[in-house]
Amino acid sequence: MTFGIFIIILHFFIATTFGFTVNLIHRDSPSSPFYNPTKTHFNRLHDAFERSFKRINHFKSSSILSSSTESKIQAQLLPNGGEFIMNISIGTPPFNVLGIMDTGSDLSWTQCLPCKECFKQNLPLFDPHKSSTYKRITCKSHSCLALDTPPKCVGQHNNTCVYTYYYADMSHTTGDLSSETFTFGIENKVRIKNVVFGCGHVNAGRFKASMTGLIGLGGGKLSFVSQLDESVGKKFSYCLVPLSPIMTSTNSNNVVSTGKISFGDNDAVVSGSGLVTIPLVEREPSTYYFLKLEAISVGNKRIPYKGSTKISPTENVIIDSGTTLTFLPTKFYDDIVTAAVKVVNDTRVKDPTNVFGLCYNYPSNVGEINDDLRFPILTAHFSGGDVKLQPVNTFVQVEEDLICLALVGTSDFAIFGSLAQINFLIGYDLEAKTVSFLPKDCTQQQ
């Protein structure tokens, strides 16, 4: 199963139409800067569950709760709650930075010299004075005006745009809104000029030393993917591999497979038999990717969406690669559990952590989850198409002898999390305003 943060190692392929593809490596891989060899698999798994709940808590403080456009969310999520890391270079010559990739944020930022207040980081700090392509953004620019909160103007003629992003736990970053050349690939083959980002000079809070900032992939104007020009195309797609003791992600050579994320019209195309394309629901904040979920079928029993969350009284859910679990309105969740109990037809057991509402004893030597174990297929009926979720998407082994339904009831926010996205090639098209799902063995993706 997919949980925790993935690190992104970049290998790119340049074609006539510009685009690039990236490897996704799980945060708990020994090659990850977050790897802790003292923790067991299940320790890491429960850490991922905790991050899911922290992440949804941070949604509570966003402007989704308000109809006022003046209270737009600033930097929506706890930075340590993201599920992926991006390893890129910025500046000329290229300077390595390591940022959390976040589909729930827009502005990318990194710590910069001179640093008035910075959190400890393992990598050196970026010095904009040593880059020949670094530029500060002016206060009257469109980019400055696109910030979620009114900027502060400083410097000569009060013309330097200063951003401030606060997180719900009061972590924060403040610095100069700037533009730079972003470089991707181990051999520095792909360069994108004039990317707007934050050069943070005051950064404090619950940040980890293994990161330097954040890479925003939301739907807003200042996100990295929104800034890709017409020669690239405002598309990205990813494929997440299953990683757990009972859902192995090894190929025939017993090498752990990695997921992929691709950018651009050339590399991020999602097509093939079984493709389902869902229209995005347009609403504020534009950062988030909203879908309309009409019902979920448990086996052949269709359960209409019911209940409401703080997103709205409608069926809107946020698809988020940064949240491990899937959260649904409590009444809707309860009906799904009732239907699943009838299909599994086995003795329920209590989850000792009280995280999950439906669990079963599960011998650790049974192998992969499959239909022989009587776990049902769940079908998510979105407005625009149906997505069939295999047991690998909906059940998770949380202990050696315990397996649970990886859905959680909530009154807060409906989230379609990363477990539900395993073994799908998922494509985001910001121009067509769609999200596409293609069933795929992500361990076999080239």
Side-chain angles (χ1 to χ4, degrees):
M1 69 155 279
T2 304
F3 63 88
I5 298 173
F6 285 67
I7 188 168
I8 298 180
I9 306 297
L10 301 120
H11 303 277
F12 299 96
F13 309 92
I14 304 175
T16 303
T17 302
F18 192 59
F20 44 91
T21 297
V22 178
N23 286 333
L24 297 176
I25 299 177
H26 196 274
R27 69 159 286 172
D28 292 315
S29 163
S31 60
S32 165
F34 286 86
Y35 180 70
N36 184 346
T38 66
K39 289 191 173 184
T40 68
H41 166 77
F42 295 111
N43 291 151
R44 300 183 185 108
L45 187 57
H46 285 284
D47 287 346
F49 298 154
E50 183 179 354
R51 285 194 299 275
S52 286
F53 284 96
K54 286 182 178 179
R55 191 167 173 89
I56 201 171
N57 285 338
H58 289 293
F59 278 107
K60 293 180 183 179
S61 66
S62 78
S63 62
I64 295 176
L65 302 183
S66 171
S67 60
S68 169
T69 58
E70 295 179 357
S71 62
K72 281 189 178 180
I73 194 164
Q74 297 177 25
Q76 297 85 355
L77 307 171
L78 179 71
N80 294 338
E83 291 297 293
F84 306 88
I85 295 179
M86 220 168 175
N87 187 359
I88 68 173
S89 295
I90 62 174
T92 306
F95 184 90
N96 188 47
V97 298
L98 195 65
I100 294 213
M101 187 197 82
D102 193 358
T103 56
S105 293
D106 289 327
L107 182 67
S108 302
W109 61 268
T110 192
Q111 295 200 112
C112 292
L113 292 172
C115 204
K116 298 177 182 178
E117 180 184 3
C118 282
F119 60 88
K120 180 183 178 181
Q121 69 176 51
N122 296 332
L123 291 174
L125 274 70
F126 175 63
D127 186 349
H129 295 100
K130 294 183 178 179
S131 171
S132 63
T133 48
Y134 175 82
K135 299 175 184 177
R136 291 187 178 91
I137 299 293
T138 63
C139 266
K140 294 182 179 180
S141 69
H142 292 297
S143 297
C144 188
L145 297 175
L147 287 168
D148 293 329
T149 55
K152 180 180 179 181
C153 298
V154 301
Q156 187 177 14
H157 307 301
N158 290 326
N159 203 30
T160 297
C161 181
V162 174
Y163 74 91
T164 296
Y165 273 22
Y166 278 98
Y167 295 79
D169 67 346
M170 299 311 293
S171 297
H172 60 90
T173 174
T174 297
D176 297 336
L177 192 67
S178 310
S179 69
E180 229 343 336
T181 296
F182 278 40
T183 302
F184 299 86
I186 294 175
E187 298 180 358
N188 297 336
K189 291 182 177 180
V190 178
R191 293 177 175 85
I192 301 177
K193 298 179 179 180
N194 301 317
V195 176
V196 176
F197 79 110
C199 200
H201 300 294
V202 179
N203 319 288
R206 298 176 61 185
F207 299 99
K208 290 184 178 294
S210 49
M211 65 177 284
T212 68
L214 183 145
I215 307 296
L217 292 181
K221 294 180 180 179
L222 293 181
S223 79
F224 171 73
V225 73
S226 293
Q227 294 185 61
L228 296 176
D229 63 27
E230 294 180 357
S231 67
V232 182
K234 302 181 191 305
K235 295 179 182 177
F236 69 99
S237 64
Y238 55 73
C239 204
L240 306 181
V241 299
L243 286 172
S244 87
I246 60 172
M247 294 172 282
T248 58
S249 57
T250 57
N251 57 27
S252 59
N253 296 321
N254 294 318
V255 177
V256 175
S257 299
T258 61
K260 302 282 186 181
I261 183 169
S262 301
F263 295 89
D265 289 337
N266 185 61
D267 282 39
V269 173
V270 179
S271 62
S273 176
L275 176 70
V276 176
T277 298
I278 312 297
L280 287 166
V281 177
E282 295 188 55
R283 57 165 300 173
E284 292 295 329
S286 59
T287 300
Y288 299 137
Y289 298 106
F290 292 96
L291 303 175
K292 183 176 181 181
L293 179 62
E294 298 176 340
I296 288 180
S297 290
V298 180
N300 295 322
K301 182 173 179 57
R302 184 182 175 105
I303 302 169
Y305 191 102
K306 69 165 56 174
S308 62
T309 66
K310 292 177 181 177
I311 289 180
S312 72
T314 65
E315 302 93 334
N316 291 346
V317 300
I318 298 171
I319 178 171
D320 182 34
S321 61
T323 304
T324 302
L325 302 173
T326 291
F327 292 83
L328 298 171
T330 301
K331 291 181 180 180
F332 187 34
Y333 165 79
D334 288 342
D335 287 351
I336 292 171
V337 168
T338 299
V341 167
K342 294 179 181 179
V343 174
V344 177
N345 193 28
D346 203 344
T347 303
R348 295 173 64 175
V349 297
K350 183 177 175 60
D351 172 21
T353 66
N354 292 318
V355 171
F356 301 103
L358 179 60
C359 297
Y360 297 95
N361 285 324
Y362 190 80
S364 59
N365 61 348
V366 296
E368 293 190 4
I369 294 178
N370 55 50
D371 292 338
D372 294 337
L373 300 172
R374 297 171 294 174
F375 292 113
I377 292 176
L378 272 62
T379 303
H381 301 285
F382 292 105
S383 176
D386 299 340
V387 177
K388 284 193 174 183
L389 304 176
Q390 302 298 323
V392 69
N393 300 114
T394 54
F395 285 85
V396 57
Q397 186 184 13
V398 299
E399 299 291 350
E400 288 287 350
D401 59 353
L402 188 69
I403 192 166
C404 299
L405 181 68
L407 311 180
V408 178
T410 181
S411 61
D412 293 318
F413 298 97
I415 309 289
F416 192 76
S418 62
L419 273 179
Q421 301 173 50
I422 286 172
N423 278 345
F424 286 98
L425 179 59
I426 300 179
Y428 296 71
D429 188 330
L430 273 62
E431 293 177 329
K433 299 186 184 305
T434 60
V435 174
S436 298
F437 294 80
L438 180 69
K440 195 175 189 70
D441 181 355
C442 295
T443 67
Q444 300 300 313
Q445 191 175 232
Q446 298 299 317

